[in-house]
Amino acid sequence: MSLVKKFITVGGATLGSRIFGFARETLMAAALGTGPMADVFYAAFRFPNLFRRLFAEGAFNAAFVPLFAKEIEANGIDGAKRFSEEVFGVLFSVLFLITVVMELGMPLIVRWIIAPGFADDPEKFTITVRMAAVMFPYLMCMSLTAMMSGMLNSLHHFFAAAVAPIFLNVVMIAALFYSLYFGALPLQTAWYLSWGVLAAGILQLLVVYIGVRFAGINIGFRWPRFTPNVKRLLILAIPAAVTGGITQINQMIGQAIASSREGAIAALQYADRIYQLPLGVVGVAVGVVLLPELARALKSGHLKEAGNLQNRSMEFVLFLTIPAAMALWVLSDDIIRVLYERRAFHQENTLIVGSILAIYGLGLPAFVLIKALQPGFYAREDTKTPMRFSGIAVATNCAIALSLFPYMGAPGIAVAEATAGWISTVLLFTTLLRRGHLTWEWGLARRAALLLVSAAVMTGAIIYLQHRWEPYLASGASLLTKVSALGLLIAIAMTIYFVVAFLIGGADLGMIRRNINRKRPATTTAPDAEVVNGE
């Protein structure tokens, strides 16, 4: 299967999950708005959700996949099964201990990490502690799910691992429907959602376990032993967890700062859900697929193939995220108005969340490029270098967020996160280039510039149509009218972008055909071979 086809397989399943996520957030906005219970639930959910994104979206795989792939090549499926059982025994035991300690220390965690601003409100603080305690076992479920997802990805069974997150959204949507139908109070709704998160974690673990069984591996429990392979995994996994979750770590810092102002946490979350669509569909797909492909190419000595994979992945990312970023910048208010503005979510909320989304849009290409660049380090079992860059980005994020929040509110936190994302991207890219793990392609640079031109033309068309169609996108218009107008505007914008991009050479059919029909090299490439430039 070609690289692009694999991206489409994973991205398609992730798209389904993100669409359900949109439905979930729309119902959440209707039920809770940006009120105190929305802040409480999102604050309590942020901690287990941080670990979900750390593990489920690539950090654990960054350490596990290269070692698992090595076991498959060296010792076949039996060796891979033995390695996975060793990891499962240690991981389960460690996670159980972490869960017990965290549950006992939850009041301190909420006070000092999750939501320091809630400490002055005893009711909000107490409810947040209790809800976080209910949802924290989700961490154990998602960590074990991530391990099995890594196995499936290495065995080229991408779909089950990509589709599993849908169950979180399905369960939460069911809880919200129940709450809205029976007119539950905001506090009751938040509790339904909290128990739903735990139930969803169990369902997701079950889905990937069945997928692993279907792929031909039956994992048994082994008494935890720190074998050489397990020790190597832990050495790689800890820096990878920090690096892979840089965006989420920055969001956690932003939440802690935002907790001092009511409604800020919920506003950040609603905007986050929108830009997670392209980030998830493109970024997660690229990260999940590229890592095992790079690891396999490098271990086989196919250096040209590895370099070409890296550059084609960046090209794919830029082709899709540049127009998405520009569209989010100019359409942010309209998108928020259509998706969220009803019942408890008012016009004032739209302006705040829309401004946050516009800023996140400018950071989108960076957030996705990080997913395409990190595998270049992970496939070479280097997780420390990206971790050092993450430290720089986190420090930058803290400084900017603390400086801007008093003056800008929640949008200042979005500025800090977007800036930190671009700093990480520049550091990752320049280091790979300097080490010779990435070859500069003038053709790729030229196409990227032409894609910017295409996106600028598209943006001009959007602004023109926005002014002409303003009555159809206004708050007073019916939902059907707003949805139709926004949908048509997006469709026209996409058409303009793709037509212009192909006409001026930002993209070409030959390049797409080569990526779709790409075949693995039959012979080993010399270690000092030059990376193909993709022209």
Side-chain angles (χ1 to χ4, degrees):
M1 186 185 288
S2 75
L3 188 66
V4 170
K5 288 179 181 176
K6 290 173 182 175
F7 287 161
I8 293 171
T9 299
V10 178
T14 308
L15 175 62
S17 176
R18 293 300 193 262
I19 290 172
F20 277 103
F22 274 134
R24 180 189 92 193
E25 294 301 323
T26 300
L27 291 171
M28 186 84 75
L32 301 178
T34 58
M37 282 304 106
D39 276 351
V40 166
F41 173 76
Y42 282 126
F45 185 41
R46 175 69 74 181
F47 204 52
N49 200 40
L50 167 67
F51 287 96
R52 175 183 75 85
R53 290 180 175 174
L54 282 175
F55 286 97
E57 297 184 359
F60 184 85
N61 285 348
F64 180 77
V65 167
L67 298 179
F68 187 78
K70 185 186 295 184
E71 282 294 323
I72 291 177
E73 290 205 9
N75 302 308
I77 293 295
D78 290 337
K81 178 179 182 295
R82 182 174 59 253
F83 172 59
S84 61
E85 287 179 340
E86 291 172 353
V87 173
F88 185 87
V90 172
L91 188 60
F92 181 89
S93 303
V94 170
L95 288 170
F96 181 78
L97 291 174
I98 289 174
T99 301
V100 171
V101 171
M102 290 293 186
E103 293 284 1
L104 293 174
M106 195 58 70
L108 293 175
I109 293 170
V110 172
R111 181 179 296 274
W112 297 107
I113 299 176
I114 296 178
F118 289 2
D120 296 331
D121 188 330
E123 184 180 3
K124 285 179 72 172
F125 177 79
T126 301
I127 296 171
T128 304
V129 169
R130 292 175 179 173
M131 288 186 181
V134 168
M135 289 187 277
F136 194 80
Y138 183 68
L139 162 62
M140 173 176 277
C141 296
M142 290 313 303
S143 300
L144 297 174
T145 297
M147 174 195 155
M148 296 187 193
S149 298
M151 296 170 62
L152 289 169
N153 294 333
S154 297
L155 296 168
H156 300 287
H157 291 258
F158 295 105
F159 186 74
V163 81
I166 291 176
F167 288 90
L168 172 66
N169 293 321
V170 168
V171 172
M172 293 181 74
I173 287 170
L176 286 163
F177 264 124
Y178 181 86
S179 298
L180 290 169
Y181 183 78
F182 288 101
L185 296 173
L187 178 59
Q188 292 175 301
T189 301
W191 274 115
Y192 294 152
L193 291 169
S194 299
W195 286 106
V197 168
L198 181 58
I202 296 170
L203 279 174
Q204 287 174 262
L205 180 57
L206 181 62
V207 167
V208 293
Y209 176 73
I210 293 172
V212 169
R213 291 287 299 269
F214 182 78
I217 297 182
N218 183 16
I219 299 179
F221 182 82
R222 293 192 177 204
W223 190 255
R225 290 176 55 247
F226 287 92
T227 62
N229 271 337
V230 172
K231 290 178 182 176
R232 179 63 178 160
L233 175 69
L234 294 176
I235 290 171
L236 294 174
I238 293 172
V242 175
T243 306
I246 180 61
T247 302
Q248 288 71 45
I249 292 169
N250 283 331
Q251 288 176 345
M252 179 70 103
I253 293 168
Q255 174 184 286
I257 296 170
S259 64
S260 62
R261 188 173 299 185
E262 186 169 311
I265 292 177
L268 288 165
Q269 174 63 30
Y270 289 133
D272 175 77
R273 171 53 56 185
I274 306 297
Y275 94 88
Q276 282 293 329
L277 176 64
L279 177 59
V281 173
V282 182
V284 174
V286 168
V288 166
V289 173
L290 183 58
L291 178 58
E293 291 290 311
L294 273 178
R296 191 175 295 111
L298 290 170
K299 285 178 172 56
S300 302
H302 296 143
L303 300 189
K304 283 185 178 179
E305 176 74 357
N308 193 44
L309 282 169
Q310 191 92 60
N311 282 340
R312 301 288 69 74
S313 297
M314 288 194 298
E315 189 170 52
F316 179 77
V317 163
L318 293 172
F319 180 60
L320 295 179
T321 59
I322 288 175
M326 298 299 287
L328 287 177
W329 173 255
V330 296
L331 286 173
S332 56
D333 285 353
D334 296 321
I335 292 170
I336 298 300
R337 187 177 298 114
V338 170
L339 292 178
Y340 296 143
E341 193 178 291
R342 59 190 59 87
R343 295 184 65 161
F345 198 99
H346 308 298
Q347 292 183 35
E348 295 78 9
N349 304 137
T350 295
L351 295 176
I352 295 171
V353 178
S355 63
I356 296 170
L357 178 60
I359 297 166
Y360 277 153
L362 295 182
L364 176 65
F367 298 141
V368 182
L369 279 170
I370 288 171
K371 302 287 187 182
L373 292 168
Q374 285 175 346
F377 296 90
Y378 296 154
R380 295 171 173 86
E381 298 185 14
D382 176 10
T383 57
K384 291 183 179 179
T385 300
M387 184 182 70
R388 287 193 287 269
F389 296 157
S390 297
I392 295 171
V394 167
T396 303
N397 177 60
C398 283
I400 296 175
L402 287 170
S403 301
L404 295 183
F405 184 72
Y407 306 102
M408 296 179 62
I413 291 175
V415 171
E417 291 178 14
T419 304
W422 278 110
I423 287 173
S424 291
T425 301
V426 170
L427 290 172
L428 291 168
F429 178 81
T430 54
T431 302
L432 285 174
L433 203 61
R434 180 172 52 81
R435 292 179 176 179
H437 297 158
L438 195 64
T439 297
W440 177 264
E441 293 183 8
W442 283 108
L444 176 56
R446 179 181 62 83
R447 286 193 292 273
L450 293 173
L451 291 177
L452 283 170
V453 173
S454 305
V457 173
M458 177 201 74
T459 302
I462 292 175
I463 293 172
Y464 172 77
L465 290 174
Q466 268 183 315
H467 289 301
R468 297 292 299 270
W469 295 358
E470 187 174 354
Y472 307 112
L473 293 166
S475 298
S478 68
L479 179 61
L480 179 60
T481 300
K482 287 187 289 190
V483 169
S484 301
L486 181 62
L488 183 59
L489 185 56
I490 292 173
I492 292 172
M494 289 175 59
T495 302
I496 292 172
Y497 171 74
F498 288 123
V499 168
V500 174
F502 280 101
L503 282 177
I504 67 175
D508 65 88
L509 292 174
M511 174 269 292
I512 293 176
R513 280 197 297 268
R514 285 194 298 274
N515 278 305
I516 291 177
N517 299 317
R518 182 185 59 84
K519 303 294 183 183
R520 187 181 308 282
T523 59
T524 300
T525 304
D528 58 350
E530 183 181 354
V531 178
V532 67
N533 67 8
E535 279 291 323

